[in-house]
Amino acid sequence: MMKPDSTHIRIIFFILLSLAGSVVCSSQFYDLGQDPASLKWKQIKTTHFNVIYPSKMEKNGQEMANLLEFYYTPVSLSLNQKPRRISVVLHNQSVISNASVPWAPKRIEFYTCPDQESYPQPWLDQLALHELRHVVQVDKINHGFSRGLYYVFGEQATAAIIGAFVPFWFLEGDAVVTETLLSQAGRGRVPSFSMELRAQLLEKGRFSYDKAVYGSFRDYTPDHYILGYNMVGSVRKKYGAAVWDRALTTVSRYPFIITPFNHGLRKSTGKGKVKLYKECMHTLDSLWRIQDKELSLTPFKKISGNRKKRYTSYRNASYINDSLYLTVRSGIDDVRRFVIIDSKGKEKKLFTPGDMFKTTCSYSRGMCSWSENMADTRWENRSYSVIKTLRLKPRKVDKITHRSRLFSPALSKDGTRIAAIEVTVDNEASLVIMNAKTGEVTEKIPAPGNDFLATPSWSDNDKNIVLIGLEDKGKYLALAKPGDFLIVPVSKPGFNEISKPVMHGNWIYFVAAWSGIDNIFACDTLTGKLFQVTSSRFGVADPCISAGGNKLLYSDYSADGYDIVEIDLTPDTWLPFNKVKNTSVDLANDLIGQEAPLTVHDRIASTIYPSDYYGKILHMINFHSWGPISVDAYNNRIRPGISVMSQNKLSTFFTTLGYDYDFFKTSGKFYADISLRCWYPIFDLHGEHVYRNLVSHDSLGNETYLLSNETSLQGSIRVPLNLSSGRYVRFLQPQVSTTLYTIKQNAKDDYYDVNGFFHTIDARLLAYNLLRASQKDIQPRFGQMIELNYKHTPFGGVDLGEIFAIEGIVYFPGFFRHHSIFSYLAYQNNNRRTYKYGDIIRYPRGYQDQYIDVIYTVTANYSLPVLYPDFHVGSLVYLKRISANLFFDYGVGTQNTNTNYYRSTGAEIIGDMHLLRFVAPISLGLRATYLPGSRELIPEFLYSVNLNQSGTGKGQRF
């Protein structure tokens, strides 16, 4: 027999990986949620795009159509690929600023509400540049051998190849490079964007490639946008822009060589991605050390972080008095909290908010305010930004706005009013002034022109509000006088990043990047003169002036996070603006010649495209993936067969059709799944026809074959309700299902005697209330989960009996941080008639398939982290965490008149890791279960894959 060579092995492995990738893509369905059913939709068809948008967003729809067509050619240039036509969906009901390019089905999803921390470029411009580059990247893959896989498997094949072979840092880094070079803004031009990587290299050194890419539970690691931009840009600087074109071309043509991306890089540079990573980090480290030597740093008094053990940041600090400070603390060890710090650095926890926006926290006269993201109860693509206040004495929290879209609330110095930015669903911004107790709006000032507004702050005498404005030509400082209903610019717009202005006397203090590092600058409103106030090593944020105007409080960054520091305000020592030196390592400037930069004057955005009604019913079917395999999208299982999948562009109608064959059970199944999600309840329909070849025995013991044909149709109604509030994540879903069965057997059998028609009714209720967890928590530190199930056959035909089950989990804090005590409790009554329902609850570990009528079970668990090794073996494995779980299980079961007792105890050791540099984190472990009754020790292998995480432990913006 011929021994297979390495190429054959690689091809076999690739085929298996592609099939597995199909399951990954399909099981997710790339469903980002639904918009409210009341929305009416329109569409604009251009040469290369189909822009779909809510009917009241005509202006934004036209603007996006113009932007996309304008950027289409320049964004495609350096990858030498003009993408095929694609749909673009605009969502205007969410307050979360984000975007994505799913590829099964392929589309661009834009969430159009701008971020209060946007850099100096309009939000829709940012989205168009960045996400269009992702479209070019993915379409580049859809050629050669990969194109052949597309014909076999559909769009899921392209998505699988991208996920398996193209690093996430490249996808995002290349898009950030593009957004930067093709504009006069872009994140690559903002010093704070690379600040975290710069601080890490200078203070902690270079991490291993795996740690940098897949994150760590021990150390903070910059995200894939920051790492990717510096990697992609540095390689382009040394080897030219064509390097990445060749790498993606190799992936598309030769995915079966298993490491095609690396192979393409080696052909162009002679190095793989790990060696390039080391080379890039070495170069950046050298350049940043040169910059570091040129700095003359501002001495300061450090207020916070004196006892930090892990990465922790303190932001949005305010003076309570001369010796007490209010700040927002966050880090990898804990969730975001309000804390009070005294002048000696001693901390006291004050309050834990919910999903708080980063830019918000204002304090005055014993009260603080902030804005919090509130999810809609049903619609994932609708959310609100509500304003909450906290009185320190007596402790009281109030939600003063409801279902609002208000951001960056700032308390007036007398504590009676709040200034905030309102952004409508049409992206129209206004400065709103409201009563701090009731939330009643007393004044509303529209932004000048079509400008965006951000981060207002009251002057020391409450006569002015200073804020940031953003227009096509960049950011500017602005003032508003309450009562005048007018916002007046006080500086010219520019593409240099400025943020978080505060005002005291005639001085406006704000953060700016003119020195190449984010520092605090001061502008004299009487003379117009500018001065640099601070000189920070890595960067600063959130200036705050003392009541007397003689001290400045701000956040100063290091590799261990932001600290709160304080300096005296001595204008005589400030550096005049004309002496400010830009010391930045400007990677973007070194790459300008590789692209044709676009200026604001180049944009033509006046074309009025014809728009028409987008009918939801007419666009319900959109087949995107198929294949000569059967994909069970809900159980992550593949079998021989065939499947076809459809999902409409609004993610409201899902269809899967297929046939599969089970070799082990010698059975085949035709099936169809339909899910309608456009209304408040979700309607699911599942139908299947199964034929089974069953082995039976007659009364003499002779083996016979029994053919069973089963047809079923199940319909269900469920209502998923997101009830999250504050620091708790809450969910409730009632569900009712009904199923019609017919079973026909070709012969009577004593064992398989289920023949005829029966009709079941199933009811299910799922609910949970969980405390928000930190990045390092293994289990929730506090919470409850409960699930109730009841199934029966009330309408005649074959009587299957009934089953009732109730399951619950309760969580409590352990003895140390990130330890958790939790218990699983369950009761099940399985009342058999002709047929016995399968078990719903979990038996004590070590026991399976007990087939008993009534059982009670309870488990006690203690979960804890053991080690954070950050250990890797080449490209084979990167081990991030080792954790343990100690357990004791107990159950009492009754069958007829017999009572059985089930006891087990043991331990689980689990490693959280990445295998073969696959992006999804994998958990592998061992369980040792001891049964005291039989004195038996049972070893088990544990395995799970988290397909909802990229491994960095961080969320993604866009």
Side-chain angles (χ1 to χ4, degrees), residues 29-31 104-105 107 622 624 646-649 651 653-654:
F29 274 118
Y30 290 104
D31 174 20
R107 64 199 186 277
N622 175 38
H624 60 83
S646 169
Q647 176 184 332
N648 67 336
K649 299 297 175 62
S651 298
F653 191 71
F654 299 76

Side-chain angles (χ1 to χ4, degrees), residues 173-195:
D174 177 65
V176 174
V177 168
T178 301
E179 82 184 34
T180 302
L181 298 186
L182 293 181
S183 71
Q184 294 181 324
R187 278 172 283 188
R189 301 181 191 276
V190 179
S192 60
F193 178 69
S194 294
M195 175 186 68

Side-chain angles (χ1 to χ4, degrees), residues 50-64:
N50 182 30
V51 182
I52 304 166
Y53 55 95
S55 58
K56 294 183 179 180
M57 283 193 73
E58 182 68 26
K59 177 183 174 182
N60 294 129
Q62 292 286 347
E63 181 179 1
M64 183 56 70

Side-chain angles (χ1 to χ4, degrees), residues 38 88 289 352 365 368 420 447 517 546 816 838:
S38 59
V88 181
R289 289 190 184 280
T352 302
R365 295 183 178 272
C368 64
I517 294 171
S546 64
F816 301 97

Side-chain angles (χ1 to χ4, degrees), residues 317-521:
S318 299
Y319 287 96
I320 296 178
N321 54 43
D322 291 340
S323 59
L324 287 178
Y325 313 88
L326 175 71
T327 184
V328 179
R329 187 188 70 192
S330 62
I332 62 176
D333 270 308
D334 202 1
V335 296
R336 189 174 286 120
R337 302 180 191 273
F338 292 114
V339 297
I340 293 177
I341 305 177
D342 65 19
S343 57
K344 296 181 180 179
K346 185 178 180 181
E347 298 181 20
K348 178 183 178 182
K349 294 180 182 178
L350 179 63
F351 179 73
T352 302
D355 188 8
M356 175 183 174
F357 288 95
K358 289 189 299 182
T359 58
T360 67
C361 178
S362 175
Y363 174 84
S364 180
R365 295 183 178 272
M367 182 169 69
C368 64
S369 67
W370 69 97
S371 60
E372 205 169 283
N373 175 42
M374 294 288 292
D376 186 84
T377 305
R378 164 64 178 90
W379 307 110
E380 296 93 330
N381 288 338
R382 182 167 68 185
S383 58
Y384 306 96
S385 179
V386 301
I387 295 178
K388 292 186 176 182
T389 60
L390 168 66
R391 290 195 175 274
L392 274 58
K393 292 182 180 180
R395 182 81 57 86
K396 184 184 179 185
V397 178
D398 291 306
K399 183 167 71 172
I400 66 170
T401 69
H402 303 269
R403 299 171 70 91
S404 58
R405 294 170 60 92
L406 295 165
F407 304 88
S408 300
L411 277 161
S412 60
K413 295 301 185 286
D414 63 10
T416 62
R417 292 172 292 175
I418 291 177
I421 303 300
E422 181 182 55
V423 183
T424 69
V425 293
D426 300 320
N427 276 12
E428 294 180 351
S430 300
L431 174 64
V432 171
I433 301 174
M434 66 188 73
N435 185 290
K437 291 183 178 180
T438 65
E440 179 185 359
V441 174
T442 59
E443 193 171 339
K444 186 174 182 179
I445 310 174
N450 296 319
D451 296 356
F452 181 64
L453 302 176
T455 59
S457 176
W458 294 81
S459 63
D460 58 307
N461 57 11
D462 285 342
K463 292 183 178 180
N464 292 289
I465 297 172
V466 61
L467 67 162
I468 295 291
L470 172 61
E471 56 152 79
D472 288 345
K473 296 180 182 179
K475 283 185 172 182
Y476 59 88
L477 293 171
L479 282 178
K481 290 183 180 291
D484 286 356
F485 294 91
L486 190 64
I487 296 174
V488 180
V490 295
S491 70
K492 293 182 179 180
F495 294 108
N496 193 284
E497 171 66 1
I498 59 174
S499 63
K500 301 299 286 289
V502 294
M503 189 174 186
H504 194 282
N506 59 300
W507 291 98
I508 297 176
Y509 301 85
F510 58 98
V511 177
W514 286 303
S515 66
I517 294 171
D518 276 12
N519 276 298
I520 295 173
F521 285 73

Side-chain angles (χ1 to χ4, degrees), residues 599-613:
T599 69
V600 67
H601 303 292
D602 295 325
R603 193 174 78 186
I604 301 173
S606 58
T607 303
I608 303 299
Y609 291 97
S611 60
D612 56 14
Y613 172 71

